Amino acid sequence: MADLLNLGARALVVNATALQTIGNNISNANTVGYSRQSVVLKTVEGQFTGGGYIGQGVDLATIQRNHDEYLTRQAALSKSVTTSDVSRANKLLLMENVFTGGKNGLGAAVNDMLNAYSDVSSAPTDLTARTVVLSRTNEAAARFNDAASQLDNIQSGLTTELQDKVTQINTLTTNIAAVNGQIQRAKGTGQSPNDLLDKRDNLINQLNQYVQTSQIEADDGTVTVLASGSQPLVLATTAAALKVQADPQDASRSQVTIVRGNSSVVLDENMMGGGEIAGLLKFQNSDLAEGKNLLGRLAVSITTVANAQHKLGLDLDGNPGGNLFSPVVMANGAGAPANTGSGTVAVAVDPANVAKLQASDYLVTYSSSSTFTVTRKSDNTVITPDATTGSYDGLMLTMGGTANAGDSFLVQPYNTAAAKITAAFSSPRQLAVSSPVQASMGTTNTGSLSVGNLTAKSVPIPAAVTLTFTGTNTYTRSDVAGTFTYSPGTAIPADTTNPANGWSLTMAGVAQAGDTVTLGPANTSFAQLNAGNAGALMGLRDIQLFDGAKLSDGYAALMSQVGVKVQSVQYTADVSKSISDNLETSRTGVSGVNLDEEAARLLQYQQAYQASAKMIQISQSIFDSMLQSIGH
């Protein structure tokens, strides 16, 4: 009877444990990171008798954790990639909002400024029309300043966000190291510490949202957590600390370093793989830098050509024009911290090659004290200087000091350009809309010649030149021997050997033999009456300035470039999220709690528990009957 009682009691305890395990599963059905547990039973070795082995019942082998290590790691890695893509996409949407279209956009402000010259062209002495032009000029400058300020605000917020993420990472790695210690001690019992393992996996899963990791498990149950493929964040029960710092060569960029004792290592963002940190760094160091360069190139190009054209005019008092905008002063190249020489690199725009400017940073690298290469960082292309001016992508680089082999300099010509633009003057009288060159038709002309366009190309304007027509299609010049061909709409240069000098004239109508046109410097009274430079300034809208696009379309091209990148990254984020969701579904299919299954098991073990109790009751009844029989 004792064996029957023990068998029932053992079964009762085992089934009660099973019911407790099922209850624990049901309770944690919605607990993040919980892995379903199940009892593993084993048969107690039977007792030998002459009639054979008599079973001794059931015992509990262990509480099994339903867990697939491969699926768990894959789900964590895919979530890491997703958070990287999503965080980058969200920041790109913020940057896209800076470059808005419509009447309040930067492009509209630039076009409004150039279009305002049409009223001045009709009434060059009208101070009200001139004031409108200056107002539009100030508005365009303010829009540039505002866009630059918004990008700087994104940059500032990004730095703060990176620091917050790093703080959370350090908290997680510290907790993982602590749980490693608990698991290490629990391993001595010979049983799996299921709840601690779930806790550690959940912490690692959270860590992967910030930085992609890999794990190596040790025999004592601890795991080493690695970032960037090989840098230990957690080593057994010790956690390293991450830190955010500015790039020593480029203060606008952030670096994340891993600190161990007195040494630190910069984590390569290209090796991080996934995680919010990788996404934010990629946005900051690639997308935001590109946005600043696109905006800066727009600012530099427009102000350079506008200033150059404005200088070719005369103001209301007959004085030569000055800058329309404050000229952009580009920062010198930043030397690498490891430089050993005293070299410097100064940067300026090549006025003759403004249309060649590219929205990029550059790296100047010395192979000897006198030999260097210039690499365009946007596409890692080594570029050669312009054959005529020696500029690189429209930039003049002036080397100073003495550089040593291996020295390098980071050139960022556009990083802060848009933030510094202002109108160069405030008086409408200083607006140089008059042309410094005038054309005078002969008083005895019999043809229908008229001036189509007369534009100053350089100042001072050369001495007066008279064109005398010898027929409807030919003319001679007073300054150069020979006969030249006339075609309506075809430019006639002041300098036949260099059309960039002096002036350029196009005419309309039909000439007759003996007709004359005299061109030369405008006098003050004439300057007050003509508005030739206003037309030239308005004509800047149509010059090809941005990768083949017209000046008036430059901002639209910028918006398009940013928009395409936003769409591309958003699509990537959607795809990676779909993959992550599928992997998480696969993981929870193994580790998740199915309440229907648990309810079925609950009934199964409830009946087994009740049967075990009945067995004990019957055993007790038999034992009582035996005692009564013996007593009689």
Side-chain angles (χ1 to χ4, degrees):
M1 291 307 101
D3 289 342
L4 183 61
L5 184 63
N6 288 337
L7 190 147
R10 187 179 291 119
L12 190 70
V13 171
V14 168
N15 288 315
T17 302
L19 287 171
Q20 183 177 351
T21 302
I22 293 170
N24 187 50
N25 286 340
I26 294 172
S27 299
N28 288 282
N30 297 313
T31 301
V32 176
Y34 177 78
S35 297
R36 177 170 54 85
Q37 299 178 8
S38 56
V39 293
V40 178
L41 307 181
K42 65 180 180 179
T43 301
V44 178
E45 186 177 349
Q47 181 180 1
F48 178 76
T49 68
Y53 284 92
I54 301 176
Q56 298 295 303
V58 68
D59 205 352
L60 181 67
T62 188
I63 305 297
Q64 177 178 291
R65 177 177 178 241
N66 291 272
H67 174 75
D68 187 307
E69 185 66 26
Y70 173 78
L71 287 177
T72 298
R73 292 193 179 187
Q74 289 301 307
L77 289 176
S78 66
K79 183 177 290 186
S80 182
V81 173
T82 299
T83 56
S84 174
D85 292 338
V86 170
S87 62
R88 183 186 179 193
N90 290 339
K91 294 302 179 184
L92 272 167
L93 287 173
L94 286 179
M95 189 173 81
E96 186 181 37
N97 290 336
V98 174
F99 301 113
T100 56
K103 64 180 182 180
N104 294 322
L106 176 56
V110 172
N111 286 325
D112 287 347
M113 175 190 70
L114 296 177
N115 291 337
Y117 284 101
S118 62
D119 290 337
V120 178
S121 181
S122 302
T125 60
D126 187 347
L127 289 178
T128 300
R130 288 170 169 264
T131 300
V132 170
V133 171
L134 282 184
S135 176
R136 296 289 185 266
T137 302
N138 281 307
E139 177 62 22
R143 296 274 180 91
F144 274 112
N145 298 161
D146 181 61
S149 177
Q150 290 185 63
L151 293 180
D152 287 341
N153 289 339
I154 292 176
Q155 169 72 49
S156 177
L158 198 63
T159 301
T160 301
E161 191 172 351
L162 281 169
Q163 292 171 339
D164 291 341
K165 303 297 183 189
V166 163
T167 298
Q168 295 177 57
I169 289 173
N170 290 337
T171 299
L172 287 170
T173 54
T174 300
N175 290 339
I176 292 171
V179 175
N180 262 347
Q182 293 176 294
I183 292 174
Q184 187 181 50
R185 292 188 293 273
K187 276 288 187 178
T189 64
Q191 293 292 344
S192 175
N194 295 333
D195 293 331
L196 288 175
L197 293 173
D198 279 348
K199 183 178 181 180
R200 184 174 66 188
D201 280 350
N202 190 37
L203 289 171
I204 291 175
N205 185 49
Q206 293 179 52
L207 181 62
N208 273 272
Q209 295 181 35
Y210 301 111
V211 58
Q212 184 173 306
T213 67
S214 57
Q215 298 88 47
I216 301 174
E217 188 169 357
D219 293 337
D220 62 356
T222 62
V223 294
T224 295
V225 181
L226 305 173
S228 293
S230 61
Q231 298 298 326
L233 286 175
V234 179
L235 191 59
T237 58
T238 303
L242 293 186
K243 180 182 177 182
V244 179
Q245 66 180 28
D247 186 316
Q249 194 172 9
D250 180 4
S252 67
R253 302 187 179 208
S254 297
Q255 294 178 334
V256 176
T257 62
I258 184 167
V259 181
R260 301 187 197 90
N262 295 324
S263 64
S264 63
V265 176
V266 176
L267 295 181
D268 185 351
E269 66 182 87
N270 297 317
M271 295 294 292
M272 285 186 178
E276 289 186 37
I277 293 291
L280 293 176
L281 286 176
K282 189 173 293 184
F283 167 77
Q284 175 190 252
N285 299 340
S286 175
D287 304 323
L288 184 58
E290 181 181 359
K292 287 185 174 182
N293 283 337
L294 286 169
L295 179 65
R297 180 183 69 160
L298 191 73
V300 169
S301 299
I302 290 174
T303 56
T304 299
V305 297
N307 284 348
Q309 187 61 53
H310 191 261
K311 290 178 181 179
L312 295 178
L314 300 175
D315 67 13
L316 194 55
D317 298 314
N319 300 315
N323 286 321
L324 181 63
F325 292 98
S326 57
V328 175
V329 179
M330 296 177 173
N332 290 343
N339 284 4
T340 58
S342 60
T344 60
V345 179
V347 191
V349 178
D350 176 6
N353 286 298
V354 180
K356 292 184 178 181
L357 295 176
Q358 299 291 314
S360 177
D361 294 341
Y362 296 84
L363 187 66
V364 178
T365 306
Y366 278 85
S367 55
S368 71
S369 60
S370 58
T371 307
F372 62 87
T373 58
V374 178
T375 303
R376 185 169 54 229
K377 290 178 67 67
S378 60
D379 57 7
N380 289 320
T381 299
V382 176
I383 55 179
T384 55
D386 181 82
T388 302
T389 64
S391 63
Y392 296 83
D393 282 352
L395 296 172
M396 299 298 299
L397 304 181
T398 304
M399 310 305 178
T402 303
N404 291 334
D407 288 358
S408 65
F409 298 84
L410 178 64
V411 176
Q412 295 180 296
Y414 313 111
N415 195 25
T416 61
K420 300 178 180 179
I421 295 179
T422 60
F425 53 85
S426 59
S427 172
R429 297 188 68 86
Q430 291 179 267
L431 200 62
V433 297
S434 298
S435 176
V437 58
Q438 65 182 21
S440 177
M441 296 295 178
T443 58
T444 61
N445 285 4
T446 59
S448 59
L449 282 177
S450 64
V451 175
N453 184 45
L454 178 58
T455 304
K457 292 293 186 179
S458 65
V459 289
I461 298 299
V465 175
T466 299
L467 310 181
T468 302
F469 285 83
T470 58
T472 57
N473 297 315
T474 58
Y475 65 91
T476 59
R477 299 175 58 123
S478 61
D479 61 334
V480 180
T483 300
F484 301 87
T485 301
Y486 162 68
S487 176
T490 300
I492 299 173
D495 187 340
T496 56
T497 61
N498 187 353
N501 290 338
W503 42 260
S504 175
L505 169 69
T506 58
M507 288 189 294
V510 178
Q512 296 295 328
D515 288 354
T516 63
V517 180
T518 301
L519 301 104
N523 57 48
T524 302
S525 61
F526 186 87
Q528 292 173 345
L529 296 175
N530 89 89
N533 206 42
L537 285 162
M538 188 166 56
L540 293 177
R541 296 174 302 185
D542 299 320
I543 66 171
Q544 292 186 340
L545 195 61
F546 302 108
D547 306 318
K550 296 189 295 185
L551 185 153
S552 57
D553 296 331
Y555 184 69
L558 183 158
M559 290 175 59
S560 175
Q561 191 166 341
V562 173
V564 167
K565 174 162 285 192
V566 170
Q567 291 179 358
S568 175
V569 174
Q570 187 64 59
Y571 174 77
T572 301
D574 291 341
V575 171
S576 61
K577 186 177 186 304
S578 176
I579 295 173
S580 176
D581 290 343
N582 290 336
L583 283 169
E584 180 62 19
T585 299
S586 298
R587 187 197 70 80
T588 55
V590 174
S591 300
V593 176
N594 186 311
L595 292 176
D596 292 336
E597 291 181 3
E598 297 304 315
R601 291 192 183 96
L602 189 65
L603 291 174
Q604 173 189 348
Y605 284 105
Q606 179 187 14
Q607 292 173 355
Y609 182 86
Q610 290 172 343
S612 300
K614 190 68 174 177
M615 187 188 305
I616 294 174
Q617 182 183 0
I618 293 172
S619 174
Q620 183 65 46
S621 177
I622 293 174
F623 186 70
D624 289 344
S625 297
M626 289 181 61
L627 288 178
Q628 290 175 4
S629 299
I630 295 173
H632 292 298

